[in-house]
Amino acid sequence: MKKAMVVFGTRPEAIKMAPVVRELLSEDSTYRPVVVVTGQHRELLHQALEMLEIEPDIDLSLMKPNQSLAEFASTALSSLSDVIKSENPDLILVHGDTSTSFIGALAAYYNQVPVGHVEAGLRTDSIKSPWPEEGNRRLIGRLTKFHFAPTSRSAENLLKENIDQNTIFVTGNTVVDSLLWVKNKLDTSPTFKEEFATRHPYIEVDEEIVLVTNHRRENFGDGMRNVYNAVKRLAVEYPLKQFIFPMHLNPNARRPAEEILSESANVHLIAPLDYQDFVYMLATASLIITDSGGVQEEAPSFGTHVLVTRQSTERPEGIEAGVAVLVGTDEDEIVEQANKILKKTTKRSPIDGILNPYGDGTAARQIIRALNDHSHGN
Ligand code: UD1
Ligand code: UDP
């Protein structure tokens, strides 16, 4: 039996790699997983792992408050190299575009272990946005043997970079697998709504909800402050709507949110929600204002409108499906675009009848099938 080391470190990677780990544990997988977490995130990662019922085999616990990219990258590189030497895997799977993912791929390359890249081929046209993610994923692409592209568009991006077609597999995005797994859990729980109300007594799910999340590094400073000022204006304009804002634990994203929004009575600045509760909010909200990658991929499953507070997105499929609008970080533009959606109705009015362009819930299965078929001679 071959060994696949699955390396991740942040909340979104845990959510998107959990289905892959589950499939690697299935009987027909050629590989058995060893789950190594860098702990680039501490609380956010463990909150997601617990909800998804994944237990890491090795936790490097590398998070330090507000550490620089270089500091994290250098300690992660040597720690991951040590683990690779002791575990001697046949394959290393990394996800997406975080520092953990890039350093995981680099450590694999230095130790001559083949890399499988889950969520491969997402691109914007600027290496500065999103930063540093765009650089990370382009670099991972150069080191990868198996590229698992979520959509045909991401596969095309790889072909444009002269990646061998035979190494690219269009699988869908594993985020949809996780989303459906969690949605099924909450749909079938007779007590979920009651428990949610006990956990979050301030949220009136029958009233109109605007969900806000924000964390991108390239928006630190003025960009982020503009987004928060826009939310503040919207909260005044719509006093009967509730603005639910689970804040990222990064102090650079959190501090200005508290400065600008803590006096707004209908803005609830709250701790990060566990995945199940967040999915319930995604399904319940009238509008989401976010710079998150994962949230852009999840919202189409519920037809929930999204304003993407970024200059560019590597996820154009949601925009083409009519679910997302790219609004940047200009305060007036955010308010204007939000008004278009919120003024239409006092009730949630989702976009009906669209298929999620990011996947159908079988991505992890397709990844494991491709690995089984192509694992000879690794
Ligand atoms: C990271 C990823 C980003 C991804 C995001 C998902 C990089 C460079 N960035 O961004 O691509 O979209 O995660 O959320 O890899 N913190 C805590 N507890 C936590 C998590 C973070 O206290 O559980 C604080 C710490 O002070 C930490 C800081 O947030 O140093 C920044 O975390 P970091 O992982 O460096 O970057 P993010 O901005 O979260
Ligand atoms: N998420 C969550 N709780 C929250 C906010 C987000 O579980 O309070 C989930 C969300 O559903 C998505 C993922 O976290 O799957 C996105 O993480 P984040 O926005 O931090 O990172 P990105 O996707 O931008 O890399």
Side-chain angles (χ1 to χ4, degrees):
M1 179 66 71
K2 294 187 176 200
K3 194 191 270 188
M5 185 182 282
V6 186
V7 176
F8 55 90
T10 66
R11 167 174 65 191
E13 291 166 84
I15 291 170
K16 292 167 166 183
M17 281 303 227
V20 177
V21 173
R22 259 184 235 117
E23 287 294 339
L24 285 168
L25 288 167
S26 68
E27 272 185 7
D28 64 344
S29 171
T30 311
Y31 293 87
R32 279 284 162 272
V34 181
V35 177
V36 179
V37 297
T38 60
Q40 177 178 336
H41 284 174
R42 186 182 300 130
E43 297 84 355
L44 294 180
L45 174 72
H46 288 283
Q47 188 182 28
L49 286 172
E50 202 176 307
M51 177 54 53
L52 295 156
E53 300 170 18
I54 299 284
E55 187 94 41
D57 298 296
I58 298 170
D59 184 348
L60 299 173
S61 294
L62 295 179
M63 196 196 92
K64 288 201 195 117
N66 222 1
Q67 67 190 332
S68 71
L69 295 176
E71 206 183 329
F72 174 76
S74 53
T75 44
L77 184 59
S78 55
S79 302
L80 282 170
S81 276
D82 290 346
V83 177
I84 294 169
K85 283 193 184 83
S86 61
E87 289 292 325
N88 196 22
D90 302 285
L91 174 73
I92 294 187
L93 290 172
V94 297
H95 180 277
D97 52 25
T98 67
S99 294
T100 289
S101 319
F102 169 50
I103 297 302
L106 186 60
Y109 175 68
Y110 282 169
N111 288 282
Q112 295 180 286
V113 183
V115 175
H117 187 200
V118 180
E119 200 183 86
L122 276 65
R123 296 288 185 270
T124 65
D125 56 11
S126 166
I127 200 158
K128 292 189 186 153
S129 176
W131 179 83
E133 291 80 7
E134 182 68 18
N136 284 343
R137 59 194 171 218
R138 290 189 198 184
L139 292 163
I140 296 169
R142 308 323 301 175
L143 303 173
T144 293
K145 175 163 182 173
F146 302 111
H147 305 260
F148 300 111
T151 65
S152 52
R153 165 106 44 159
S154 42
E156 277 162 30
N157 291 336
L158 293 169
L159 291 172
K160 278 188 217 147
E161 293 176 7
N162 295 325
I163 305 266
D164 178 357
Q165 184 158 20
N166 296 319
T167 65
I168 303 170
F169 307 89
V170 179
T171 60
N173 197 310
T174 54
V175 76
V176 183
D177 306 19
S178 258
L179 184 69
L180 297 182
W181 189 82
V182 162
K183 189 175 174 301
N184 181 51
K185 253 176 105 168
L186 56 95
D187 286 349
T188 53
S189 160
T191 50
F192 173 77
K193 286 188 181 163
E194 226 172 278
E195 287 160 11
F196 182 91
T198 311
R199 280 194 292 275
H200 308 290
Y202 48 87
I203 301 180
E204 303 273 346
V205 282
D206 295 332
E207 300 301 322
E208 237 197 322
I209 288 171
V210 178
L211 186 62
V212 183
T213 83
N214 206 43
H215 73 82
R216 302 235 76 88
R217 281 170 184 257
E218 69 272 14
N219 289 348
F220 285 173
D222 287 347
M224 220 162 244
R225 299 185 77 84
N226 292 346
V227 175
Y228 300 152
N229 279 319
V231 173
K232 189 176 182 173
R233 269 168 62 187
L234 289 166
V236 172
E237 210 162 316
Y238 298 98
L240 298 180
K241 298 190 201 293
Q242 301 173 79
F243 291 74
I244 308 296
F245 187 168
M247 288 184 295
H248 197 282
L249 294 181
N250 192 332
N252 299 301
R254 198 185 172 89
R255 215 177 298 117
E258 286 167 342
E259 274 168 34
I260 293 169
L261 291 165
S262 55
E263 303 288 308
S264 303
N266 53 335
V267 177
H268 299 280
L269 297 176
I270 59 173
L273 290 170
D274 70 33
Y275 190 44
Q276 172 174 250
D277 289 355
F278 191 77
V279 168
Y280 184 49
M281 285 294 92
L282 285 177
T284 310
S286 301
L287 172 66
I288 307 168
I289 301 175
T290 189
D291 59 9
S292 165
V295 173
Q296 290 176 65
E297 292 156 346
E298 292 163 335
S301 286
F302 305 107
T304 309
H305 297 273
V306 180
L307 297 184
V308 182
T309 51
R310 295 171 50 174
Q311 305 308 330
S312 55
T313 179
E314 58 288 293
R315 294 164 169 96
E317 296 88 348
I319 292 176
E320 284 156 12
V323 176
V325 179
L326 193 63
V327 291
T329 55
D330 181 83
E331 189 184 316
D332 292 335
E333 176 68 7
I334 297 168
V335 170
E336 194 183 320
Q337 294 292 339
N339 275 333
K340 282 189 192 165
I341 293 155
L342 297 176
K343 280 215 168 112
K344 260 190 216 156
T345 167
T346 54
K347 285 270 163 262
R348 171 180 152 82
S349 56
I351 302 165
D352 284 330
I354 53 157
L355 284 177
N356 189 324
Y358 298 106
D360 62 2
T362 63
R365 184 97 286 266
Q366 294 189 51
I367 289 168
I368 269 52
R369 263 196 227 127
L371 283 176
N372 285 349
D373 292 348
H374 294 81
S375 62
H376 316 290
N378 276 343

